[in-house]
Amino acid sequence: MRRTALPALCLAAAATASLTGCLPGEDKADSAPKGPFAGLTGGEIADQAVEATSNASSLRMKGGMKDDDGSLVDLDMALDEKGRCAGTMSANGQGEAELRMTGDTLYMKYDEKFLRAQDEGASKEETDSVVAMLAGKWTKMSATGSDAKDIAGFCDLDTVLADFEDVNSDATRGRTTTVDGSPAIVLHEKDGKDAYTLYVATEGEPYLLKVVSRSAEDPGTVTFSDFDTPVPAEKPKGEVIDLDAMNG
């Protein structure tokens, strides 16, 4: 299969950007903000959000973004600081793969559309054979192998949030809103021609709930939820095809 590398989270780029002000058409916050986070600047709120999110033991991230080869990757995955993950992914809307990682093993199950899209360049006979063998069946491979390491890297929350250290944001406050029913405040950031919008929870821990990147190179939207919730990354039941053994 063609190697599919997941992109770095746009929230890391947003959190470390050099910031200059509001997006066009947005009102600047007054000098004495009221309401949620009263008295705090947008940058101070962003710094609190980054700290709270990076301290979560687990979370779920969902959204669409571009990967290194320009493909649009849709991702819905729960992951934790122990390297466990469980969720689904697709590229350019062409089928779906379910994945789980526990210990040092990555488990994946592909539908037929996903397999055919990933097997571009192969003959029809070869593709039909791959589909007959793998479609709808669980497979496993070493998480440290070359075919798995890109995806496995995004199953480790500490790795995903590694760029959050030593952030000093200068974000600008915006309006209040909700993200999937959770109250949030909107923060605006710009870095040259790139613009980012952050949504920070105003109740409970100030987690990042949503990040929208309008970067020309890394556009996308990612939402975050299920903080500190156990990740359902159990080993699949029944027969599991060992891809490392097949390729050995």
Side-chain angles (χ1 to χ4, degrees), residues 22-213:
C22 294
L23 296 174
E26 296 286 351
D27 296 330
K28 288 182 177 291
D30 60 32
S31 58
K34 303 175 180 63
F37 300 108
L40 297 182
T41 66
E44 289 169 337
I45 299 170
D47 290 343
Q48 286 190 13
V50 166
E51 181 178 5
T53 304
S54 63
N55 286 335
S57 62
S58 65
L59 56 77
R60 177 185 179 188
M61 60 182 183
K62 181 179 181 180
M65 60 202 88
K66 285 186 177 180
D67 73 359
D68 293 340
D69 67 5
S71 297
L72 178 62
V73 176
D74 286 309
L75 184 71
D76 184 355
M77 186 163 64
L79 63 159
D80 67 19
E81 60 187 359
K82 295 183 179 180
R84 293 176 296 211
C85 69
T88 60
M89 62 174 291
S90 66
N92 297 321
Q94 297 179 311
E96 185 175 86
E98 184 177 352
L99 65 150
R100 302 177 190 176
M101 195 173 91
T102 181
D104 60 356
T105 303
L106 177 66
Y107 300 92
M108 298 193 70
K109 181 170 66 175
Y110 318 91
D111 65 16
E112 179 176 348
K113 190 175 181 180
F114 186 95
L115 288 170
R116 291 191 181 280
Q118 297 296 309
D119 218 25
E120 292 178 357
S123 68
K124 183 179 184 304
E125 291 76 12
E126 289 174 329
T127 299
D128 288 345
S129 177
V130 169
V131 169
M133 179 174 55
L134 298 181
K137 302 173 184 176
W138 279 105
T139 67
K140 68 177 181 178
M141 67 185 86
S142 170
T144 60
S146 59
D147 291 334
K149 62 181 181 180
D150 288 319
I151 297 175
F154 278 84
C155 284
D156 186 335
L157 187 60
D158 289 339
T159 299
V160 171
L161 302 181
D163 291 336
F164 275 28
E165 296 181 4
D166 301 322
V167 172
N168 184 18
S169 176
D170 191 25
T172 303
R173 293 174 62 117
R175 61 189 175 87
T176 55
T177 185
T178 59
V179 177
D180 295 331
S182 297
I185 187 170
V186 181
L187 305 178
H188 302 291
E189 303 189 343
K190 293 192 72 177
D191 181 17
K193 296 181 179 180
D194 297 333
Y196 306 90
T197 306
L198 312 182
Y199 297 75
V200 179
T202 58
E203 294 182 357
E205 292 292 327
Y207 292 123
L208 280 169
L209 300 179
K210 182 178 178 180
V211 179
V212 180
S213 168

